[in-house]
Amino acid sequence: MICLVGFMGAGKSTALAELRDKGLRTADTDRLIEEEAGRSIPEIFDAGGEEGFREIEQRVVLAALADASIDALALGGGAVSNPALREAMSSPAHTVVWLDIDEGAAWRRVSRSDRPLAQDEEAFRRLFAERLPLYAAVSDAILPAVAFRIWERALEPVRMLDRLPAGTRMHWAAGSNGDYPVYVGRGLLTGPLFEGDGPVMPGDGRSFGFTDDSVGPIYADRVRGLEETVSVPPGETAKSVSQAEDSLRQMARLGVTRSDRLVAIGGGVVGDLAGFCAATYQRGIPYVQVPTTLVAQVDSAYGGKTGVDLPEGKNYVGAFHLPSAVVTDVDTLATLPEGELKAGLAEVVKTALLAGGDLWRQVRDLEPGEIASRADLVFDCARYKCGVVAADERDHGLRAALNLGHTVGHAIEAVTGYSRYRHGEAVALGLLAALRLSDAEDLRNELREWNIRHGLPVSLEPEVDPDEVLRAVQFDKKRTSKGVGFVLLKKPGEPRTDCLVEAGKVRASVEELNK
């Protein structure tokens, strides 16, 4: 049974209508409650208050959850507040889908209704904040509440959760240029997600793997249905125009057609390079991201940014090309070298700094070595990234916040030939510089101690020339005619983008890393 949960105004009734059109047998617990009580919900509230309503709700919803004749059930917005109902929803027989809506949109939708709990805006917003973590806790899948006819595309990917290992979660990444499912869990590589005729794999052709010489021998054979595999050298130096040409020619020799798809198995380099090749090969073929590094699992696999580096700067050549799906199997972190795992933590803490709130609190308290067992944190980071991308898919504004720490970090990578520092290590240093530029001294000191605790660098190696780093900063790909705009952050959850900073202050922030 698909159980729809979400706050008032999330569109559960509309979703039920779409599912009914798909042939599912549906029921709405609000209507069932009114039938049992013989009166409307406002009348139930008038007669017995919220407590009286909740008593009826528990009885009716428990019966509906046990009714095998119902394929899809819409629950009232407050049902998740009841521990007994949350326990019943956790049954393997149920797939709980949270229709996620933002607070402002929800209020605009219901503020003029007769809903008893939508008569006072301040109380409404408090209730929204109280229920938000409950929806997150019970959900197996998260879909945007306002996406048009989303069940035309999402029904079969949601149903796929029934065939995947327990604990797998799905987030539906949506934007103006397309949408796709993101699965995060354990044991996904060898499962049914890669079936050529299944609901997740795009196109009606063959699957071709795209990996590197380190990851391929470990994981490429585990992904079912790959016709052939393109492999590239490991490391950032493979993200070049010459390697892209070589890979495209390999694809041509293998006979890849426009109806086929690429399956990118590897870290950020593989994902960026495979995506770029997919975007440009025969003017575009679909591809699926299978991230195997922490950096890719929490950040780079999502959003459709693809590209390669030039000697003058990182990611100078590229294209926007959304993946058709992302399959994140956190079990792959077990084979990740310790240095790579530590480096990936820089993207985790960057995401937490941007998100603030509960995600920042969880990451701030993260113990060394714990991340490999925290599929929940990987999922939350991925979900945050997808949310930012959905709001600014073409990178014209809000998405620039994801560049926190990357302006100086990319410069460090460039001047050291993309070989001395892992991407995450350079970002860890870039974050310290960004917080110095933000005049966030206490937060910078906290992050410095966090880096030390997790084995990330806090200073540049002596042979790295700060002047070279400063020159490389001027080649940042986000530079405009006004200059280089930095992402600044005074406190977690409150980034500011496109901030021009005086040259002396930038120099001081970089020179500080050399001490």
Side-chain angles (χ1 to χ4, degrees):
M1 178 190 296
I2 294 174
C3 302
L4 302 175
V5 301
F7 202 64
M8 290 176 274
K12 296 185 288 293
S13 297
T14 300
L16 273 192
E18 291 185 24
L19 291 170
R20 193 159 47 247
D21 289 345
K22 300 289 285 182
L24 275 67
R25 298 166 297 179
T26 65
D28 186 328
T29 59
D30 281 353
R31 304 290 79 78
L32 296 176
I33 290 168
E34 290 180 331
E35 290 173 8
E36 166 138 333
R39 63 184 85 175
S40 69
I41 288 177
E43 290 172 337
I44 297 171
F45 268 80
D46 287 343
E50 185 175 356
E51 183 178 352
F53 172 79
R54 297 301 174 197
E55 289 179 3
I56 302 173
E57 179 184 53
Q58 176 171 315
R59 182 170 64 254
V60 170
V61 174
L62 286 175
L65 288 170
D67 188 344
S69 70
I70 300 174
D71 297 321
L73 180 70
L75 285 77
V80 294
S81 302
N82 186 320
L85 298 184
R86 293 201 301 271
E87 176 66 25
M89 280 187 276
S90 69
S91 163
H94 303 135
T95 299
V96 181
V97 179
W98 172 20
L99 301 182
D100 186 17
I101 189 170
D102 72 67
E103 182 182 311
W107 175 249
R108 289 192 297 273
R109 283 186 164 201
V110 304
S111 59
R112 293 181 176 84
S113 73
D114 62 352
R115 295 171 187 252
L117 298 181
Q119 303 307 305
D120 178 86
E121 183 175 358
E122 185 177 345
F124 178 93
R125 292 181 183 276
R126 284 199 304 270
L127 190 61
F128 184 94
E130 291 171 8
R131 289 181 181 172
L132 207 60
L134 296 175
Y135 296 131
V138 301
S139 60
D140 301 303
I142 304 174
L143 271 62
V146 295
F148 179 70
R149 301 295 297 178
I150 191 170
W151 289 99
E152 293 287 340
R153 307 177 298 282
L155 177 57
E156 293 309 318
V158 166
R159 280 176 158 169
M160 175 62 80
L161 287 167
D162 289 337
R163 302 173 57 194
L164 300 179
T168 302
R169 300 184 72 192
M170 188 195 82
H171 173 77
W172 192 262
S176 59
N177 290 303
D179 49 15
Y180 55 94
V182 172
Y183 295 93
V184 179
R186 299 186 179 281
L188 302 183
L189 250 60
T190 57
L193 286 169
F194 300 98
E195 293 175 350
D197 58 351
V200 174
M201 298 298 282
D204 56 4
R206 301 162 295 172
S207 296
F208 289 83
F210 196 111
T211 187
D212 69 35
D213 298 339
S214 294
V215 174
I218 304 174
Y219 291 118
D221 288 345
R222 301 189 192 184
V223 177
R224 66 174 64 176
L226 296 182
E227 188 85 6
E228 297 281 355
T229 297
V230 175
S231 189
V232 302
E236 185 74 27
T237 53
K239 243 177 75 171
S240 66
V241 175
S242 60
Q243 182 59 61
E245 179 185 4
D246 182 70
S247 297
L248 289 165
R249 294 185 67 184
Q250 285 188 62
M251 292 164 60
R253 289 194 295 270
L254 291 172
V256 177
T257 72
R258 295 184 67 183
S259 67
D260 297 324
R261 76 209 42 115
L262 289 186
V263 180
I265 310 164
V269 169
V270 165
D272 283 0
L273 184 56
F276 180 69
C277 289
T280 53
Y281 186 80
Q282 296 188 2
R283 297 189 176 90
I285 64 172
Y287 76 113
V288 173
Q289 289 272 20
V290 184
T292 61
T293 66
L294 185 56
V295 169
Q297 291 188 359
V298 302
D299 184 76
S300 65
Y302 317 99
K305 275 189 178 180
T306 75
V308 296
D309 304 332
L310 295 180
E312 289 77 11
K314 188 177 174 75
N315 296 326
Y316 255 44
V317 178
F320 288 98
H321 191 50
L322 289 176
S324 298
V326 181
V327 180
T328 297
D329 187 338
V330 296
D331 281 346
T332 60
L333 299 180
T335 60
L336 198 63
E338 183 179 1
E340 291 289 346
L341 192 61
K342 289 179 179 178
L345 286 168
E347 291 290 354
V348 174
V349 76
K350 179 209 77 173
T351 302
L353 284 166
L354 292 171
D358 183 61
L359 185 56
W360 165 244
R361 288 188 289 271
Q362 289 190 69
V363 172
R364 182 183 59 194
D365 298 334
L366 190 70
E367 294 296 327
E370 185 185 1
I371 187 64
S373 64
R374 294 294 303 274
D376 59 324
L377 278 185
V378 173
F379 181 82
D380 287 344
C381 288
R383 183 177 163 228
Y384 177 82
K385 168 73 180 283
C386 291
V388 171
V389 170
D392 181 23
E393 193 167 335
R394 304 297 291 187
D395 204 9
H396 295 307
L398 178 63
R399 189 170 180 173
L402 297 171
N403 205 44
L404 179 67
H406 284 59
T407 301
V408 171
H410 284 169
I412 292 170
E413 288 185 275
V415 302
T416 55
Y418 302 105
S419 58
R420 186 170 302 174
Y421 290 96
R422 295 178 174 90
H423 172 69
E425 293 169 337
V427 169
L429 293 168
L431 287 171
L432 293 174
L435 294 180
R436 173 60 68 219
L437 294 175
S438 306
D439 295 320
E441 183 176 356
D442 290 344
L443 186 57
R444 185 190 187 281
N445 291 337
E446 185 173 10
L447 179 63
R448 187 179 189 279
E449 293 304 312
W450 194 93
N451 281 3
I452 292 171
R453 190 166 75 249
H454 290 276
L456 287 168
V458 295
S459 61
L460 286 167
E461 296 178 11
E463 59 268 30
V464 180
D465 186 350
D467 288 333
E468 291 294 324
V469 175
L470 288 165
R471 277 192 285 273
V473 164
Q474 298 308 310
F475 282 96
D476 186 84
K477 68 181 184 300
K478 296 185 184 298
R479 177 186 174 92
T480 68
S481 59
K482 296 179 181 179
V484 177
F486 286 84
V487 181
L488 304 183
L489 183 125
K490 193 76 173 180
K491 59 189 293 188
E494 299 181 8
R496 293 182 294 125
T497 62
D498 200 27
C499 299
L500 299 178
V501 181
E502 61 182 59
K505 197 170 184 179
V506 177
R507 172 174 288 277
S509 72
V510 174
E511 289 180 342
E512 185 178 30
L513 296 174
N514 216 230
K515 296 178 181 177

